[in-house]
Amino acid sequence: QVQLVESGGGLVQPGGSLRLSCAASGISFSLYAMGWYRQAPGQQRELVARITRGGSTNYADSVKGRFTISRDNAKNTMYLQMNSLKPEDTAVYYCQATCTQAYWGQGTQVTVSS
């Protein structure tokens, strides 16, 4: 059974930082491209950042220079370091694993507010 479990969300003030984690089980993690997506209320789910099996990364323009995606294949875990957070970063953040098919986590809430 495939499970992707996100953690690390919460409430943070503007300018603050959070580190999200996505722990994967039931898949050969190193074979999967991994990604973070987010969905704000009333908005469509959007790509935040992706990392390939080989470690290549790409980011949404809105988070470039502030967010860093990484993976630890030994721990079957992906991370998203989020710095200089803005209120517009408020959303539910989802983890995705993609190989022959895509799997999703249940999401973790990130709220940026003073």
Side-chain angles (χ1 to χ4, degrees), residues 85-108:
L85 282 160
K86 305 175 181 180
E88 51 264 42
D89 295 317
T90 295
V92 178
Y93 283 70
Y94 296 90
C95 166
Q96 185 200 54
T98 305
C99 187
T100 55
Q101 63 185 93
Y103 298 99
W104 292 91
Q106 82 290 347
T108 185

Side-chain angles (χ1 to χ4, degrees), residues 8-32:
L11 173 64
V12 63
Q13 291 188 340
S17 298
L18 284 174
R19 188 194 196 203
L20 304 183
S21 298
C22 170
S25 60
I27 59 173
S28 297
F29 182 79
S30 63
L31 299 182
Y32 279 70

Side-chain angles (χ1 to χ4, degrees), residues 26-104:
I27 59 173
S28 297
F29 182 79
S30 63
L31 299 182
Y32 279 70
M34 300 295 296
W36 288 101
Y37 290 73
R38 67 186 181 188
Q39 187 167 19
Q43 303 287 326
Q44 287 190 330
R45 192 172 296 189
E46 64 176 1
L47 173 68
V48 176
R50 292 188 80 244
I51 185 166
T52 68
R53 297 185 300 176
S56 297
T57 60
N58 64 283
Y59 297 90
D61 287 344
S62 59
V63 306
K64 281 181 182 176
R66 299 189 298 123
F67 291 10
T68 302
I69 189 171
S70 61
R71 64 190 297 163
D72 185 336
N73 289 341
K75 295 183 178 180
N76 289 353
T77 302
M78 173 181 64
Y79 305 97
L80 186 67
Q81 178 66 45
M82 305 187 295
N83 299 328
S84 303
L85 282 160
K86 305 175 181 180
E88 51 264 42
D89 295 317
T90 295
V92 178
Y93 283 70
Y94 296 90
C95 166
Q96 185 200 54
T98 305
C99 187
T100 55
Q101 63 185 93
Y103 298 99
W104 292 91

